[in-house]
Amino acid sequence: MSRPLRALILVLFVSACGARYDSPPRNLDDACSIVSQRPTYLRDMQRTERRWGVPVSVQMATIHQESKFDADARTPFRYAMGIIPMGRQSSAFGYSQALDGTWEEYLAESGNRRAKRDNFRDATDFMGWYMHKTNESLGISKADARNQYLAYHEGRSGYARGSYNAKPWLLRVSDSVASRAQMYDAQLRACGKI
């Protein structure tokens, strides 16, 4: 076998080793199904829980709300006069829908300069880091999915100002995130995953 062919095979093999899923798992209402389809997701979330103290169920509920477990999730386009594309609504991208500026802050503080928003392990570590900092600065429990989500969506300073109180739709969404976190927790306990 020629040297270039061996090199190509090696490159293809190494690139295939990274667990990258092309589509979100099926049945997003069943935590046990999600982690059965994507066992690396559970390992990554457990790693984040050990490092940052954010429960797996809170991570799962937040990811469900932000991206529905889609690595390539992006915000919709904005249009001028209803037809001229003017760019996306924000720079949010990936599983965690992290904004460019917040992601850059995470990269600098975490030391993980090669992290990517469309990598599940990196996205959950980002969430853990963000929610840990929220706990430190605002005193919100890491297990409080509702208020952690409000601070995640509005930013810590927005949460501190109470900006979410002027957004009834966001309060409903945060209640939904809290309910989903409780549901995921009960499901994962029932199937023996946590």
Side-chain angles (χ1 to χ4, degrees), residues 22 35 39 48 51 57 61 69 84 92 111 114-116 120-121 131-132 137 146 159 170-171 178-179 182 185 194:
D22 290 334
V35 300
T48 294
R51 181 173 185 193
S57 59
F69 292 86
I84 303 169
R114 295 184 305 179
K116 296 183 185 313
F120 195 82
R121 183 179 192 170
M131 292 179 180
H132 174 76
S137 62
R146 180 184 186 276
Y159 180 89
L170 180 57
L171 294 171
S179 294
Q182 290 175 337
D185 184 70
I194 59 171

Side-chain angles (χ1 to χ4, degrees), residues 24-46:
R26 294 176 309 281
N27 195 2
L28 297 180
D29 291 330
D30 184 346
C32 297
S33 174
I34 293 169
V35 300
S36 291
Q37 293 172 62
R38 307 287 194 269
T40 59
Y41 284 10
L42 181 60
R43 287 192 297 270
D44 294 342
M45 289 183 290
Q46 288 171 329

Side-chain angles (χ1 to χ4, degrees), residues 35-182:
V35 300
S36 291
Q37 293 172 62
R38 307 287 194 269
T40 59
Y41 284 10
L42 181 60
R43 287 192 297 270
D44 294 342
M45 289 183 290
Q46 288 171 329
R47 179 179 175 268
T48 294
E49 183 174 18
R50 284 190 303 274
R51 181 173 185 193
W52 300 108
V54 177
V56 167
S57 59
V58 173
Q59 296 173 58
M60 286 185 83
T62 304
I63 289 170
H64 177 275
Q65 180 58 43
E66 291 296 289
S67 68
K68 303 291 188 277
F69 292 86
D70 180 358
D72 295 320
R74 299 172 193 271
T75 59
F77 280 103
R78 291 177 305 190
Y79 293 92
M81 296 184 284
I83 57 170
I84 303 169
M86 301 298 293
R88 297 203 179 267
Q89 292 176 359
S90 77
S91 63
F93 172 68
Y95 290 108
S96 63
Q97 290 293 283
L99 297 170
D100 288 350
T102 314
W103 187 257
E104 288 299 322
E105 183 184 343
Y106 162 74
L107 294 176
E109 288 187 18
S110 71
N112 187 6
R113 298 292 304 165
R114 295 184 305 179
K116 296 183 185 313
R117 290 182 276 184
D118 61 354
N119 177 293
F120 195 82
R121 183 179 192 170
D122 295 337
T124 59
D125 192 65
F126 166 81
M127 276 188 169
W129 166 84
Y130 192 89
M131 292 179 180
H132 174 76
K133 289 182 67 89
T134 297
N135 171 259
E136 286 182 334
S137 62
L138 299 173
I140 300 171
S141 167
K142 295 173 187 179
D144 181 350
R146 180 184 186 276
N147 287 300
Q148 279 286 356
Y149 183 75
L150 288 171
Y152 192 83
H153 187 276
E154 295 295 281
R156 291 184 205 99
S157 58
Y159 180 89
R161 286 192 314 272
S163 61
Y164 53 88
N165 287 316
K167 300 175 182 176
W169 63 269
L170 180 57
L171 294 171
R172 285 190 301 275
V173 168
S174 65
D175 288 339
S176 175
V177 170
S179 294
R180 183 168 293 277
Q182 290 175 337

Side-chain angles (χ1 to χ4, degrees), residues 7 10 15 17 128 141 150 166:
L10 179 62
S15 66
C17 290
S141 167
L150 288 171

